[in-house]
Amino acid sequence: MRLELHKRPVASTALSYLAPVIALTLTLVAGAIMFALMGKSPIAALYTYFIEPLLDPWSRDQVFFKATPLAIIAIGLCVCFRSGNWNIGAEGQYLIGGLVGATVPVLFPAFSSPLLLPIMIVMGMIGGGLYAFIPGFLKARFGTNEILTSLMLVYVAQQFVDWMVRGPWRDPQGMGFPGTKQFDDSGILPNLVGTWDTHWGAVFAIIAAVAFWFMLSRTLKGFEIAVLGQSPRAGRFAGFSARQMTIFAFVVSGAMAGLAGISEVSGSVEKLDDKLSLGYGFTAIIVAFLGRLNPIGCIFAALLLALSSIGGESAQIMLGISDRATRVFQGMLLFFVLASDTLIHYRIRLVGRTPAAREGAV
Amino acid sequence: MESPAPTTPLFEARGITKIFGELRANNNVDLTIEQGEIHALLGENGAGKSTLVKIMFGSLQPDGGEMFWLGEPLAVRAPAEAREAGIGMVFQHFSLFDSLTVAENIALSSPPGENISDIAERAEMLATQYGLPLDPTSLVGDLSVGERQRIEIVRCLMQDPQLVVLDEPTSVLTPQEANTLFETLFRLRDEGRSILYISHRLEEVQRICSTATIMRHGKVVDSCDPREETAGSLAAKMVGADIVDVVRPALKGEGAQILEVTGLSSFADHPFATALKDITFNVRAGEVLGIAGIAGNGQGELFARLSGEEPASGGSVKIDGSECIEHGVTERRASNAAFVPEERLGHGAVPVMRLSENMLLTHHGEDGVTGGGGLRTVAGRFVAKAAQAVVSAMDVRKSSHNPPAASLSGGNLQKFIVGRELVRKPKLLIVNQPTWGVDAGAAAHIRQSLIDLAAEGSAIVVISQDLDEIFEIASDVAVMADGHLSPVEPVANMTRERIGLLMAGQNASEVAA
């Protein structure tokens, strides 16, 4: 007896919707086994991870708050990954977006105007976009491996932002702590609801998800992205330019990462400091794939990953479960999602001994 | 090898059945291959030949039936076991890694232990012996289709097989090269080996095969001696009906110049590419120019410069009177030109995309296809309807309403890709290898539709390695060799021998008519 994969003649539509549900179920089962092996009650652990944060208003706010940058970055990455360009450096574009977006309030602290926030957001997007243009251009012009260049530029960005907030841009009245002056009130992205931490970035995420979904599924640009991602030669035959697409995809995803960056800087910290880099740009890669490179899917994937990390924090406090368990959990989730995707294209069949095998070997 | 076979059959399959979903790709198939015979397996695309061959080779497991090797039961669970038993395979679709060298690709299917330089040496020796010149250090990605097939043949011979299965082996060879291959096959047969020869070229089958098994719709419908049949009777058995001969109407006077190519040149983009050297030719309305040549002599490069996919380094391409040399493929399509590339999957069509999406691939620049102003939204229903029109006009057979391109058989996908260009009634159509690996029925349909388009006043360029095809449809012929194009001549002035010499690179002046 063995399992065989049989390719379906046509991909199953039902399973393309069911696969994430199957994956989530399998993750929960595997997670329960893991907690049982650790000597914790699986029910209590899963409850703490996935249910409790949803019941408590503060935790709920934290889930939305953490999901916001993840979703915004992942939505941009959908364009990049679908077109076959591997931007691994969203974290760097996020940082540079935050830095460039903060230029006006840092250099002109007296400038107070309703225009300040839009200026900051646009500059943040330009900053992230231009920073992503570097690996995009290098790939398009010289055939450089974009995975390496975009990743290396993350470290450059981290060091550069760190130097800026400790050196030229440090607030002289900041007691020596690294960080710029607090922004003018007109440069602060408002919270969504009164005392929440979640800011208007969440609205940007939803608007972006709808806009990007429309572009990818309904416009010629979306078709071009898909064709070049799947079959560059067929794309060239269609008259699409792979080089222009590389630059487009990098700049768009960089601009989205920059938007996430400036939203965090102006909506959460309200100044630029040395704690901006929290790994959102890397986690967003998981979010993008978990959301099956679909912008709407990215919103749900971002919420799920945010939920598991908030749940992980409370599991750490309440049950003494290490935060590494959370990472194992996220890893299992990604694993099962990718594995369940197989079901969309293949049918699993349990096969007995084949007729040929029954005859025995010669 | 006329003596009756006194021995047990080398290979025997009984009642082989293979089911894919609803489709019985093989339905109770029997096949007996005697020792030392060249056995033809005939059938249209989709008749189940490839499925049967994959089962023999262990890359598919049958749902029923038995196989025997020299009378003993044979179990083949994986290609390695088939090779061990003595079955060697040359697949129609090459299973080669582009980023590896010829020798490395051959080493991948060799038993472990032998070092790669020995393999390279042995491969080169075999290649020379069988007239299939190969440089073992070339990267496969840089080789033409014809050269890739040579690797497959040599790779198979490396295993010293008792039974060699060849799937459409001559479709990329010149007549002279094919003759060399046949001599190779005769030599293998005289050594006592057997050959299962899959081909659509009936005259070849008649020439070299002593038995033919004919399949249609997954079943064996007949078994005969092809030498006692006519090409017509064999074809009729294959398709279950008489094939309509291609009808070529006489040209009516001189048409207008549609394509004028002057001094077209290009550099070789990579070490194994062919540079185009000063190519000049014209095609008038109503003409079908056949460009013959051996694979890898610059046909692919010429196609890419005519379509505008790749830039030329010099010269001029005028389509319907206007200069297009600086234009990309979309602009050339807007000038009413249409193109059909050689590779169906991955060049002419995106394998995972549905037919309607593949329709959009070459029609996105047209009116009505996109709307929404600057947003350029795709008019999905309009495109789907256009795709359905192509499907019915070209009689494309498919398993569902709007399937992915990769699920169609080669012949049906080719009909779709050609039909996709015919619907726009282009003034100029450039086709590279229009019927490569396509069954006889689909090939006749495609050729007839090209001729009909010319009769309506379009100019057509057919780049083909298939001389039968060129003689069947071309009104004028030119030959490519090493990036040069011989002067265009009316097909009536050309013979096979003369084309063969031009293919080998001799000057037109030396090869007098």
Side-chain angles (χ1 to χ4, degrees), chain A residues 2 4 6 9-11 13 214 218-221 223 226-227 230-240 347 349 354-357 359-362, chain B residues 61-62 64-66 72-75 77 309-310 329-330 333 339 341 343 346-347 350-354 357 360-362 364 375-378 400 420:
Chain A
R2 65 172 190 276
E4 266 188 8
H6 287 262
V10 177
T13 325
F214 184 80
R218 292 287 181 273
T219 70
L220 192 62
K221 196 75 194 169
F223 178 71
V227 169
Q230 275 157 357
S231 211
R233 209 154 160 235
R236 194 168 54 191
F237 179 62
F240 303 143
R347 182 176 294 153
R349 218 188 271 166
T354 59
E359 301 296 333
V362 182
Chain B
Q61 293 302 318
E66 307 166 310
E72 299 284 328
L74 171 71
R77 276 163 302 229
E309 288 169 88
E310 299 280 352
V329 63
T330 307
R333 283 191 186 114
F339 311 96
E343 299 269 354
H347 192 177
V350 182
V352 295
M353 286 192 167
R354 294 175 182 283
E357 293 169 295
L360 192 55
L361 211 57
T362 64
H364 59 78
L375 285 179
R376 305 200 68 191
T377 50
V378 173
S400 61
R420 181 176 71 183

Side-chain angles (χ1 to χ4, degrees), chain B residues 40 47 101 164 168 216 241 275 365 440 503:
Chain B
T101 65
V164 179
E168 297 283 340
R216 195 191 323 148
M503 279 177 169

